[in-house]
Amino acid sequence: MGAKLELSTKQGLDAKQYGGFSSQQFACFFIYEAKKKGKPVFRFSQVPVWLAARIEGDSAALGEYARELAEKEGLEYVGITRPKIYKKQLIEVDGDRLIITGAKEVRSGSQLAFSQDEMLLLNMSKKDERLSVLPLLEGLVHKIDHAANATCGKLSRQLKLSRLSSVSVLDELQQRELAFGLIRIENGADRVVDLSGIGGPAKAGAMVTDMSKLINEPAAPFFIIDQSVTGMFERRTRVGL
């Protein structure tokens, strides 16, 4: 038996129709277009699980739901821009590649590039914990701090590594943990990294963002990137203003 829908959502929508705090779960996301005082605006929203089931048998269900959301906000509904966006969808905002991991959270969508020497040291350090990773770590910090190619600029600005202590103050175990932690957060595998050893937060790098605001920012182009299974081919679709 499902959870009781006694509490309505923050938007004031009917709990029986739109779900409540105790029951609201989401299948995916979507983007719709509306007008505010005659000007186009875009909204990034969630598709509740109950609605996903309805959409399979009723192609108009998503549009009806989006219209309700728009009207609650005082907007004039126009239409669906992107009907289905799954978690871990790759996007590009102002040149940064990001992965959507939640309604208001993204992770780095970058893939770090290493030299042959760095790859050799990285692979060897996985097998031999006595091997120093300091050269690798220092190079990694420099890449991220200067937002080099194949790094995420938004994440670099958030981590602010240049304001922290030198990684040389860490012992070998801490250096190893930080090196692999930075690689994981830069590759989108983790949402945070522990920088407490060099004077930063213990949970640094969480990128909380307003997706609708990003889409409506004309100075920072927003693209949805669809890739082939192999990753060799991709399609970039501009969305928003």
Side-chain angles (χ1 to χ4, degrees):
M1 186 174 182
K4 294 181 179 179
L5 307 178
E6 296 177 346
L7 296 176
S8 61
T9 62
K10 290 182 180 180
Q11 292 85 357
L13 302 176
D14 182 359
K16 291 182 180 179
Q17 184 177 3
Y18 295 101
F21 286 119
S22 63
S23 67
Q24 193 73 299
Q25 295 180 340
F26 301 96
C28 59
F29 309 100
F30 73 102
I31 297 172
Y32 69 89
E33 182 181 355
K35 288 185 178 181
K36 184 176 183 179
K37 297 181 179 178
K39 296 182 178 181
V41 293
F42 294 84
R43 291 292 183 263
F44 180 92
S45 193
Q46 300 155 310
V47 177
V49 170
W50 65 262
L51 179 60
R54 274 188 54 191
I55 292 173
E56 292 183 5
D58 181 3
S59 60
L62 182 60
E64 294 171 0
Y65 178 72
R67 185 183 298 277
E68 291 284 347
L69 293 179
E71 291 176 354
K72 286 290 181 180
E73 199 179 336
L75 303 175
E76 178 187 348
Y77 175 71
V78 174
I80 301 296
T81 302
R82 174 86 175 204
K84 192 175 293 183
I85 300 173
Y86 289 113
K87 188 176 180 181
K88 295 187 178 180
Q89 171 69 52
L90 183 64
I91 60 174
E92 183 178 303
V93 182
D94 198 22
D96 279 332
R97 293 209 162 190
L98 305 167
I99 297 171
I100 297 174
T101 53
K104 293 187 177 181
E105 184 180 88
V106 295
R107 294 186 189 181
S108 169
S110 303
Q111 292 295 321
L112 284 172
F114 293 101
S115 67
Q116 287 187 333
D117 289 340
E118 288 173 328
M119 282 300 301
L120 180 62
L121 178 56
L122 184 61
N123 291 330
M124 289 177 63
S125 66
K126 291 179 180 179
K127 301 176 183 178
D128 186 356
E129 294 185 357
R130 297 169 299 177
L131 189 64
S132 174
V133 297
L134 183 57
L136 175 68
L137 178 56
E138 289 177 332
L140 186 58
V141 168
H142 184 271
K143 285 180 183 179
I144 295 175
D145 193 42
H146 289 78
N149 290 336
T151 63
C152 177
K154 181 177 176 63
L155 180 60
S156 299
R157 293 188 293 273
Q158 191 130 335
L159 294 178
K160 301 176 182 177
L161 294 175
S162 62
R163 301 185 183 183
L164 305 179
S165 302
S166 170
V167 294
S168 62
V169 303
L170 302 174
D171 62 35
E172 290 187 0
L173 178 59
Q174 290 174 319
Q175 289 174 6
R176 180 180 300 277
E177 291 176 345
L178 180 56
F180 286 103
L182 287 173
I183 291 173
R184 287 194 299 270
I185 194 172
E186 190 67 48
N187 287 345
D190 286 348
R191 63 183 295 272
V192 295
V193 62
D194 185 357
L195 299 180
S196 59
I198 52 175
K203 295 182 178 180
M207 292 190 284
V208 178
T209 188
D210 185 330
M211 298 296 294
S212 292
K213 185 176 181 180
L214 289 180
I215 297 171
N216 287 286
E217 178 51 67
F222 185 105
F223 294 91
I224 294 176
I225 302 176
D226 297 303
Q227 295 181 322
S228 64
V229 176
T230 61
M232 295 179 63
F233 305 98
E234 66 179 36
R235 181 177 65 247
R236 298 166 77 249
T237 304
R238 174 76 184 267
V239 177
L241 300 180

